Amino acid sequence: LDLSAPHIGFVIASYVVSGAAIASLVFVTLAKLRAQERKLADLARLRKQQDLVNDEQ
Amino acid sequence: MQQLANPNRLIAIADRWRPWLWALAGLLFGSGLILALIQSPPDYQQGETVRIMFVHVPAAWMALAAYTFMALAHGTAIVFRHPVADLAAKAAAPAGLCFTFLALITGSLWGKPMWGTWWQWGDARLTSMFILLLLYAGYLAVWQTIEEPRRAARIAAIVALVGFINVPIIKFSVDWWSTLHQPASVLRMDGPAIHVSLLVPLLVMGAAYGALFAALVLANIKSEILARRIRQIQISAASRV
């Protein structure tokens, strides 16, 4: 890659935009998955606690 | 295919394959970038600007592949009453939208130095790709705005299947209409028209985008299945109260 070539700014911009968009997509996808896993685990724990309270009653 | 209809089994398959697909995507992106930015020579006409092709073309391929996947998944849901197929289609849409956006932006960044313009509304390929972007946005808006999942899936299927007409139009637009965008140079009946030194990095980057797409779809499918479970738990808890 010749950094002094004409129009090199367009090449760099293409790779920066692509990298940023792909990194954001991966980050958002994984964050959403982690959030759902955590939420489901919390709900399961709550349900278990509620069942225990019901049993005691 | 029936095995994939069981959400638990699908989650197990997704969990098993996802780490390998992330690793494969990382490996392919690493080697693809080395080939694209260091190994491959500049083009005799385009110079260094040809390197934009290595991120633009795979993004455009995957934009079309993702939409085709969505249409096939919705078709499977309608024909075989496959319970997870609608979710698979929904899972592919964010990546498809991102790839379409990247194809348009990087295409524009290539167009300015090569064609002398960022955008040309009269060009069939550019305009049909822009319509694809709108279709992805509309498709995702349907899922976001309709709360009842079955109704959302039905309307999303209509958007995906009707919008699929645009996919062959995009592919063959450069053959049917003589406009600014050049004809296909890789996926041609008589073989690729570009030199092997440019073809290899392009195919490696294409494979990297493909592996990334597969990993993202599997992660999103799991996310959607878990979201449905959460919704069911919340509904049953509300009905007990």
Side-chain angles (χ1 to χ4, degrees), chain B residues 33-211:
Chain B
L33 285 172
I34 291 169
L35 289 169
L37 294 174
I38 299 165
Q39 205 77 23
S40 71
D43 183 68
Y44 79 105
Q45 276 182 322
Q46 299 177 38
E48 296 290 345
T49 318
V50 73
R51 298 185 200 280
I52 296 175
M53 177 182 74
F54 302 127
V55 282
H56 167 71
V57 175
W61 284 344
M62 288 317 299
L64 296 184
Y67 205 90
T68 305
F69 176 85
M70 280 162 51
L72 284 173
H74 277 302
T76 307
I78 291 166
V79 175
F80 300 106
R81 305 257 167 219
H82 197 289
V84 196
D86 284 324
L87 292 185
K90 187 185 176 187
L97 179 74
C98 181
F99 292 140
T100 311
F101 169 77
L102 283 178
L104 288 170
I105 292 290
T106 54
S108 198
L109 284 164
W110 183 87
K112 183 62 182 166
M114 291 296 111
W115 295 336
T117 181
W118 298 100
W119 187 261
Q120 180 66 257
W121 282 111
D123 186 274
R125 172 61 69 83
L126 270 63
T127 309
S128 52
M129 274 304 279
F130 183 71
I131 291 168
L132 185 69
L133 185 81
L134 297 181
L135 282 167
Y136 272 121
Y139 178 87
L140 284 167
V142 166
W143 280 107
Q144 289 295 316
T145 48
I146 300 170
E147 224 172 283
E148 209 275 299
R150 271 192 205 156
R151 199 162 158 258
R154 221 170 25 239
I155 296 171
I158 294 168
V159 175
L161 292 169
V162 172
F164 183 69
I165 297 165
N166 192 39
V167 172
I169 292 175
I170 294 170
K171 168 70 186 137
F172 297 109
S173 58
V174 286
D175 304 321
W176 293 341
W177 297 284
S178 177
T179 50
L180 203 54
H181 198 286
Q182 63 272 42
S185 48
V186 179
L187 303 171
R188 290 156 26 110
M189 294 296 276
D190 45 352
I194 63 173
H195 192 262
V196 71
S197 61
L198 300 174
L199 183 63
V200 171
L202 183 61
L203 294 179
V204 173
M205 286 297 276
Y209 274 67

Side-chain angles (χ1 to χ4, degrees), chain A residues 1-2 5 10 15 36-37, chain B residues 37 48 51 109 222 230:
Chain A
L1 184 69
D2 179 8
F10 292 96
Y15 280 81
Q36 303 287 24
E37 283 172 340
Chain B
L37 294 174
E48 296 290 345
R51 298 185 200 280
L109 284 164
K222 186 179 177 185
I230 290 165

